[in-house]
């Protein structure tokens, strides 16, 4: 009885809270009707406005085209005749042929007079038609034809079209076709009223359809609402007949079926929760006993880890001492390595300097060889010059011989010229010139011979000097070769020293590497001991945390036990049977 009262109190409390949350702003049926009618209304308004606009434009365009055709026909009809004020009345019958179609026609003469099919209240034809253009100044515009949106004739406004009447290439009159604006505007207004009536009928018709559709949809929605209301009151029993919830809308059928399925599923789930909540209390009691046992064993582990932590701390101190001693040994090895490295660098520098000196000696030796070759070439050139001078002397001998022969021939010529007397005077002059030229050639040859002899002596002296220079350079080469051999021996000795120093340096480097490996091993051992110490501390801390966690588990088990009871009380709110 007490549980029943508690359930009733909980249900009343839940319903109060549900009512406080509000009932929404708008109903679904109203929303559906609004969504279906408003777009339709806007569409009809837009379509009607577009239709009215297009109808007005089309009718005005149609009027313009009709008046153009009428004015063109009248202009063509009148162009072959001469029109004057006296003959214009002969066209009245033609002007009246379109009155049944509501089209008025007229002929305008220069100066504004003429005739038309329009009659005034006294049944006289109106002869004055509003025309503001001048036949001379505006001839091009008149001949092109034009449409006028407002032409006032006898106090009535017309749509008008003007076309020229040309006879013998002369503008004699203007053809006019017009239609009353009131008639055209009345037709446009009638069309607009028809469109508006159709729009209103469409809105009313579709509004009625929308109301019936919304009610039909809401019948299925109300079925779902009834099931949701039962669920909110904790009633999981199937209290509704399936036939009442049927609908022809596929989505609404799915929604009703899903609500029924949710109700059945929730009923099964709540039943299972009730069973599990009772079993959960028993399991929590067992977990509490196991957590108490685990807490006792964790305390024993904590004591063992404290002893292991003390041993690890002592080991870490010993390793630290070894590490300090190895660092001192490493410093000594580093000092030796620096000295050996300095000695190695100096030896390398000395070897490099010696190699550079040997290279310089090689350059000197090569240059000396080039000098010997150059002196040899000079000597050879001087000898060739001596040979050429000898050839010059031979040529001089030949010139002297030719000079003697020329002198002899000049003498003979002079004798023969003397024998010839007056006839040989000119030949005697030539013989004298040849003799003079022979003497000059002999003198020049003697000068060349003396000069060649002098050059020969100096050339011989140059050859002797060149041979002496060659001897000195060859002696210098021998000294350079001996110096080069000594540099080579010194270079070999230095190379051996550098090799030995490099060996010492390599062994020192190896000793440094071994020292570093020992230091690394000692540091690794120190790190391991520190890690062991830290691990012991961490394990000890973790065990402490585990004990605290076990205690928290006990506390949580108590809270879960209380929550299990509350859960069992909560699911009692639902009625599954």
């Amino acid at each position: 009885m007490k549980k029943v009262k508690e359930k009733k109190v909980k249900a009343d409390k839940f319903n109060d809270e549900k009512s406080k949350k509000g009932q929404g702003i708008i109903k679904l049926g109203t929303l559906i009707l609004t969504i279906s009618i408003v777009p339709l209304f806007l569409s009809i308004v837009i379509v009607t406005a577009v239709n009215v606009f297009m109808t007005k434009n089309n009718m005005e365009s149609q009027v313009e085209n009709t008046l153009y055709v009428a004015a063109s026909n009248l202009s063509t009809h009148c162009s072959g005749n001469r029109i004057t004020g006296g003959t214009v009345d002969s066209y009245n019958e033609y002007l009246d042929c379109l009155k049944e179609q509501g089209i008025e026609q007229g002929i305008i003469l220069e100066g504004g007079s003429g005739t038309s099919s329009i009659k005034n209240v006294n049944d006289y034809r109106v002869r004055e038609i509003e025309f503001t253009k001048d036949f001379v100044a505006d001839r091009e515009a008149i001949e092109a034809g034009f449409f006028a949106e407002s032409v006032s004739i006898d106090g009535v406004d017309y749509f008008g079209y003007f076309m020229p009447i040309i006879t013998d290439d002369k503008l004699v009159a203007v053809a006019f076709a017009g239609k009353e604006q009131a008639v055209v505007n009345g037709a446009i207004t009638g069309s607009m009223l028809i469109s508006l009536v159709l729009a209103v009928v469409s809105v009313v018709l579709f509004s009625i359809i929308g109301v019936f559709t919304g009610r039909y949809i809401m019948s299925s929605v109300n079925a779902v609402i009834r099931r949701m209301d039962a669920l909110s009151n904790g009633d999981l029993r199937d209290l509704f007949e399936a036939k009442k919830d049927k609908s022809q809308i596929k989505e609404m059928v799915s929604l009703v079926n899903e609500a029924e399925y949710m109700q059945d599923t929730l009923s099964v789930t709540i039943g299972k929760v009730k069973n599990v909540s009772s079993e959960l209390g028993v399991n929590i009691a067992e977990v509490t006993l196991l957590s108490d046992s685990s807490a006792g064993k964790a305390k024993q582990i904590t004591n063992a880890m404290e002893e292991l932590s003390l041993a690890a701390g002592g080991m870490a101190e010993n390793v630290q001492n070894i590490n300090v001693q190895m660092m001192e040994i490493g410093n000594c090895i580093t000092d030796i390595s620096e000295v050996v490295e300095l000695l190695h660098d100096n030896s390398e520098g000395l070897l490099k300097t010696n190699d550079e000196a040997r290279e310089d000696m090689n350059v000197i030796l090569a240059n000396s060889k080039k000098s010997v070759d150059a002196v040899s070439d000079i000597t050879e050139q001087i000898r060739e010059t001596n040979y050429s001078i000898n050839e010059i002397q031979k040529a001089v001998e030949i010139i002297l011989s030719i000079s003697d022969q020329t002198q002899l021939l000049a003498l003979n010529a002079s004798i023969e010229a003397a024998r010839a007397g007056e006839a040989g005077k000119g030949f005697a002059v030539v013989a004298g010139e040849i003799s003079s030229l022979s003497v000059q050639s002999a003198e020049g040859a003697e000068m060349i011979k003396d000069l060649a002899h002098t050059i020969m002596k100096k050339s011989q002296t140059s050859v002797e000097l060149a041979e002496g220079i060659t001897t000195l350079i060859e002696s210098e080469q021998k000294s350079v070769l001996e110096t080069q051999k000594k540099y080579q021996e010194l270079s070999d000795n230095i190379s051996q020293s550098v090799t030995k120093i490099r060996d010492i340096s390599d062994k020192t480097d190896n000793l440094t590497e071994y020292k570093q490996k020992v230091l690394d091993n000692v540091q690794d051992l120190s790190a391991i001991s520190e890690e062991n110490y830290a691990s012991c501390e961490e394990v000890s801390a973790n065990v402490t945390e585990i004990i605290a966690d076990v205690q928290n588990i006990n506390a949580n088990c108590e809270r879960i036990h209380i929550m299990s009871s509350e859960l069992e009380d909560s699911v009692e709110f639902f009625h599954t049977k």
Side-chain angles (χ1 to χ4, degrees):
M1 189 69 180
K2 184 178 180 181
K3 287 187 176 181
V4 173
K5 290 182 178 179
E6 291 178 353
K7 290 181 182 180
K8 186 176 181 181
V9 171
K10 290 181 179 179
D12 293 339
K13 184 179 180 181
F14 181 79
N15 289 329
D16 292 339
E17 292 177 354
K18 183 173 67 173
S19 62
K20 290 178 181 179
K21 292 182 179 179
Q23 300 298 326
I25 300 174
I26 186 172
K27 292 184 178 181
L28 179 60
T30 305
L31 181 62
I32 294 173
L33 183 61
T34 302
I35 293 174
S36 61
I37 297 302
V38 171
L40 177 63
F41 178 75
L42 292 176
S43 300
I44 292 174
V45 170
I46 293 172
V47 170
T48 302
V50 172
N51 185 31
V52 169
F53 178 76
M54 293 182 65
T55 300
K56 183 177 182 298
N57 288 340
N58 290 336
M59 291 188 71
E60 290 178 352
S61 178
Q62 184 179 0
V63 168
E64 181 179 351
N65 294 332
T66 302
L67 296 179
Y68 167 75
V69 172
S72 298
N73 292 335
L74 178 59
S75 172
T76 304
H77 180 74
C78 297
S79 294
N81 302 310
R82 295 183 180 276
I83 300 176
T84 63
T87 62
V88 73
D89 291 334
S90 62
Y91 293 93
N92 290 337
E93 184 177 355
Y94 185 85
L95 295 177
D96 295 338
C97 67
L98 297 177
K99 286 184 69 68
E100 293 182 357
Q101 285 77 26
I103 298 176
E104 303 290 349
Q105 300 183 91
I107 298 174
I108 304 172
L109 299 174
E110 186 174 3
S113 62
T115 186
S116 70
S117 63
I118 304 171
K119 296 182 179 181
N120 56 22
V121 294
N122 297 320
D123 201 26
Y124 291 108
R125 294 182 181 273
V126 176
R127 296 184 179 275
E128 299 293 331
I129 298 175
E130 182 182 3
F131 188 73
T132 59
K133 295 186 180 296
D134 185 82
F135 273 59
V136 177
D138 301 324
R139 178 172 179 173
E140 292 184 0
I142 296 172
E143 288 181 351
F146 60 93
F147 176 76
E149 293 184 354
S150 180
V151 179
S152 180
I153 303 175
D154 196 27
V156 180
D157 292 330
Y158 289 83
F159 291 107
Y161 211 103
F162 297 92
M163 293 295 291
I165 299 174
I166 299 174
T167 301
D168 297 333
D169 198 26
K170 181 180 179 181
L171 179 63
V172 297
V174 175
F176 167 77
K179 196 166 187 177
E180 287 188 27
Q181 289 187 0
V183 175
V184 176
N185 292 333
I188 294 173
T189 303
S191 178
M192 293 173 59
L193 289 175
I194 293 172
S195 299
L196 291 175
V197 170
L198 290 176
V200 172
V201 171
S202 299
V203 170
V204 173
L205 179 61
F206 283 103
S207 298
I208 294 171
I209 295 173
V211 169
F212 282 102
T213 303
R215 289 182 178 180
Y216 183 74
I217 294 173
M218 285 304 300
S219 63
S220 299
V221 174
N222 289 329
V224 176
I225 292 173
R226 289 198 301 272
R227 289 188 178 274
M228 294 297 104
D229 186 62
L231 292 176
S232 65
N233 291 319
D235 192 353
L236 303 179
R237 296 169 293 180
D238 188 7
L239 302 177
F240 305 98
E241 295 181 2
K243 293 182 179 180
K244 295 181 180 179
D245 297 337
K246 293 297 182 180
S247 174
Q248 298 301 322
I249 301 175
K250 185 177 180 180
E251 288 76 7
M252 297 307 300
V253 172
S254 299
L255 183 61
V256 172
N257 292 336
E258 291 299 327
E260 182 180 356
Y261 177 73
M262 182 176 67
Q263 186 179 18
D264 295 338
T265 303
L266 188 59
S267 177
V268 175
T269 303
I270 295 299
K272 291 181 179 179
V273 171
K274 288 182 178 180
N275 296 330
V276 171
S277 61
S278 61
E279 294 177 359
L280 183 62
V282 177
N283 293 331
I284 290 172
E286 293 179 357
V287 171
T288 302
L289 294 175
L290 291 174
S291 62
D292 292 336
S293 176
S294 298
K297 294 178 180 178
K299 290 180 179 179
Q300 294 177 0
I301 295 172
T302 302
N303 295 330
M305 292 306 300
E306 288 178 354
E307 295 177 359
L308 182 60
S309 178
L310 293 174
M315 181 178 178
E317 292 178 359
N318 294 330
V319 171
Q320 189 65 30
N321 293 331
I322 296 172
N323 190 21
V324 173
Q325 295 174 0
M326 288 303 300
M327 289 296 293
E328 294 178 357
I329 295 173
N331 293 332
C332 295
I333 294 173
T334 301
D335 294 339
I336 295 172
S337 178
E338 291 176 355
V339 174
V340 171
E341 186 67 27
L342 180 60
L343 182 61
H344 179 268
D345 293 340
N346 293 334
S347 300
E348 289 287 346
L350 182 61
L351 179 61
K352 183 177 180 180
T353 302
N354 186 72
D355 291 338
E356 291 175 355
R358 187 173 61 184
E359 292 295 329
D360 293 338
M361 294 301 296
N362 290 333
V363 173
I364 293 171
L365 184 61
N367 292 333
S368 177
K369 186 176 179 181
K370 291 180 181 178
S371 298
V372 172
D373 294 339
V375 172
S376 298
D377 292 338
I378 293 171
T379 303
E380 185 64 26
Q381 293 293 328
I382 294 172
R383 286 173 180 169
E384 291 179 358
T385 302
N386 290 339
Y387 177 76
S388 299
I389 292 171
N390 288 328
E391 294 295 324
I392 291 172
Q393 288 180 345
K394 292 179 181 180
V396 169
E397 292 295 333
I398 293 171
I399 293 170
L400 290 174
S401 176
I402 293 171
S403 176
D404 291 339
Q405 291 179 2
T406 303
Q407 185 70 26
L408 183 61
L409 290 173
L411 181 61
N412 291 332
S414 297
I415 295 171
E416 292 296 330
R419 289 178 181 178
E422 290 295 328
K425 285 184 180 181
F427 188 73
V429 174
V430 173
E433 291 296 328
I434 293 173
S435 178
S436 177
L437 182 62
S438 175
V439 172
Q440 291 177 1
S441 299
E443 291 175 356
E446 287 294 333
M447 291 174 65
I448 293 171
K449 185 176 180 181
D450 295 338
L451 181 61
H453 182 70
T454 302
I455 293 172
M456 189 73 176
K457 287 183 179 180
K458 291 182 180 181
S459 176
Q460 187 64 35
T461 302
S462 298
V463 169
E464 292 175 357
L465 291 173
E467 290 177 349
I469 293 172
T470 302
T471 302
L472 290 174
I473 292 174
E474 289 177 349
S475 176
E476 182 181 7
Q477 285 182 339
K478 291 180 182 179
S479 299
V480 170
L481 289 172
E482 292 178 357
T483 305
Q484 188 178 24
K485 289 180 181 179
K486 292 181 181 179
Y487 271 111
Q488 184 63 41
E489 293 176 357
L490 179 61
S491 178
D492 295 338
N493 294 330
I494 293 173
S495 297
Q496 292 178 1
S497 299
V498 171
T499 302
K500 297 298 182 182
I501 292 171
R502 186 179 291 110
D503 292 339
I504 295 172
S505 178
D506 294 338
K507 291 179 180 179
T508 305
D509 292 337
N510 292 333
L511 185 60
T512 302
E513 291 179 1
Y514 295 147
K515 179 263 297 183
Q516 188 62 40
K517 290 180 180 179
V518 172
L519 285 175
D520 292 340
N521 292 330
V522 171
Q523 290 177 355
D524 291 341
L525 185 60
S526 176
I528 291 171
S529 63
E530 291 177 357
E531 288 178 359
N532 288 336
Y533 181 77
S535 297
C536 292
E537 293 292 335
E538 186 177 356
V539 170
S540 179
N542 289 334
V543 171
T544 303
E545 291 179 359
I546 290 172
I547 294 173
D549 291 340
V550 170
Q551 293 175 352
N552 290 330
I553 290 172
N554 288 334
N556 289 331
C557 287
E558 291 294 334
R559 286 195 293 270
I560 291 172
H561 182 69
I562 295 171
M563 292 169 64
S564 175
S565 299
E566 293 177 353
L567 178 62
E568 187 174 359
D569 293 338
S570 297
V571 297
E572 288 295 333
F573 173 76
F574 294 98
H575 308 287
T576 57
K577 293 181 182 180

